[in-house]
Amino acid sequence: MVVPRQRPPRLIRPVREPATAPPPLDGVWAPTDVRLDRAEVLPLPPGARGPEDVLVDPDGRVVSGDEDGRLWWWPADAPAGTPPRLLAETGGRPLGIELDPTDGTLVVCDAYRGLLRVTPDGAIRELTGAAAPVHLADNSAVARDGTIYFTDSSDRWPLSHWKHDLLEHRPNGRVLAYHPGSGRTEVVAAGLYFPNGIALTPDESALMLVETSTHRLVRVGLPDGVVTVLADLPAYPDNVAAVGDGTYWIALPSPRLAVVEKLLPHPRLRQLVAMLPDVARPQPQRYGLVALVDGAGTVLRTLHGPTGAYPMVTGVRQHGDQLWLGSLTGTGIARVDLS
């Protein structure tokens, strides 16, 4: 089964914004720890690519997806180069993967199917569907009572045209909550700029959230949905994963691009750029980067891969003294020793 892809709008609707400038990678962001360039890679099968997120399940399996709608798993102790085994096929495009603490199943954000529940044996059940109010389910966090908070990154652009949403630079995204008891989906916070990675605080009183297009780390209060900006990041953020001790890993696929930020005051020019072939538009920088932050947004640690040996890190997950990485464009997941 292949799920039909949404048809994107014909033109972006950019708004004029003040130009910004990327800060340098110095201070706590300086590339003093470059271990991401030495990451061990566990490959997807030949021809597969795009393991956007990564999760270690209770059975010790490392789970990720690919752009063809398949979910794969590897043993967490597998040596580098080990091929995966097939877990399930969604027919869509799996992005964020989380564990439901109430029953041990996986909650998968599928860009074209909405929220999915996947059992350990690979059975799939659709929770929300891709119909309104869900358009681009991206990343989720599951509360102890089973409530699933997840990002709906854009109500205009499908995943295939995510760069158009960033060029448009409008607050097209939301945070939604799915309640499994009633099957109801409600809006927690709206007016967000491509909300992406999301994680619950230990006391579940708030969500840690990143906005990709405004490169911000924010805190979303629960249940009021009040958004507080915590940090302006020097790179575009993607998925966020809670460690469990009040700290969070953020995957940052690329340092910010000066040319993109200089385009912000020029809506018409951005509209023209959006009409160019993708290869002619500004491209993410090939640079590996993840950061560990606390609940106030203070950066505690950064890991770098300046050569881009493992490119476009979009997923990050700590399991013991290992850090697992996913990539929107890579051909496998990666593992890094933290000790």
Side-chain angles (χ1 to χ4, degrees):
M1 177 187 71
V2 178
V3 177
R5 284 12 183 185
Q6 303 110 318
R7 179 173 295 180
R10 197 169 71 89
L11 296 173
I12 68 171
R13 300 184 305 187
V15 293
R16 181 174 284 105
E17 298 279 359
T20 52
L25 294 177
D26 58 13
V28 70
W29 289 98
T32 55
D33 189 329
V34 296
R35 70 183 67 200
L36 297 193
D37 277 338
R38 301 188 299 272
E40 298 179 308
V41 176
L42 282 71
L44 289 167
R49 65 196 301 267
E52 197 266 355
D53 197 14
V54 63
L55 175 83
V56 183
D57 75 7
D59 296 325
R61 303 185 301 180
V62 186
V63 182
S64 189
D66 70 21
E67 64 182 12
D68 293 322
R70 295 168 296 190
L71 291 168
W72 302 93
W73 69 272
W74 298 256
D77 58 356
T82 300
R85 301 179 190 179
L86 183 66
L87 174 61
E89 297 189 57
T90 73
R93 199 333 178 177
L95 297 174
I97 305 171
E98 293 298 323
L99 181 71
D100 188 329
T102 66
D103 59 9
T105 60
L106 301 181
V107 173
V108 176
C109 287
D110 190 292
Y112 299 109
R113 294 188 64 183
L115 281 186
L116 307 177
R117 189 179 302 281
V118 181
T119 60
D121 62 358
I124 296 174
R125 181 161 66 91
E126 197 169 271
L127 300 180
T128 64
V134 183
H135 190 263
L136 202 176
D138 198 326
N139 198 228
S140 70
V142 188
R144 286 185 286 270
D145 66 358
T147 301
I148 303 170
Y149 298 96
F150 65 104
T151 50
D152 185 22
S153 294
S154 176
D155 63 6
R156 277 180 43 80
W157 299 98
L159 179 66
S160 59
H161 289 67
W162 63 268
K163 291 180 183 177
H164 285 60
D165 193 280
L166 271 60
L167 281 168
E168 189 169 271
H169 211 265
R170 284 181 179 268
N172 296 327
R174 301 174 294 176
V175 173
L176 304 177
Y178 171 78
H179 301 277
S182 64
R184 189 179 82 258
T185 302
E186 64 180 5
V187 177
V188 176
L192 300 169
Y193 290 82
F194 208 90
N196 203 327
I198 190 171
L200 278 158
T201 58
D203 63 1
E204 299 189 349
S205 66
L207 298 160
M208 299 291 283
L209 171 77
V210 293
E211 295 175 296
T212 301
S213 58
T214 55
H215 33 79
R216 298 192 304 188
L217 171 65
V218 306
R219 178 184 174 97
V220 180
L222 295 175
D224 54 30
V226 173
V227 177
T228 304
V229 177
L230 299 179
D232 182 42
L233 305 169
Y236 302 108
D238 204 288
N239 288 342
V240 175
V243 178
D245 59 357
T247 63
Y248 311 84
W249 283 103
I250 304 174
L252 299 129
S254 169
R256 286 159 54 181
L257 303 176
V259 64
V260 171
E261 301 192 23
K262 289 178 181 177
L263 287 172
L264 288 175
H266 309 287
R268 179 58 180 161
L269 187 55
R270 279 154 51 208
Q271 197 169 57
L272 293 174
V273 170
M275 297 173 67
L276 295 173
D278 184 64
V279 294
R281 295 197 294 262
Q283 299 297 316
Q285 184 179 339
R286 192 179 176 94
Y287 190 104
L289 182 59
V290 297
L292 182 69
V293 302
D294 65 16
T298 303
V299 178
L300 306 175
R301 185 179 187 183
T302 60
L303 307 180
H304 297 250
T307 70
Y310 187 75
M312 203 167 185
V313 179
T314 52
V316 60
R317 189 81 54 168
Q318 184 172 340
H319 182 68
D321 60 358
Q322 293 178 329
L323 201 66
W324 291 89
L325 308 174
S327 168
L328 185 67
T329 59
T331 56
I333 61 172
R335 178 176 55 204
V336 176
D337 188 357
L338 287 175
S339 60

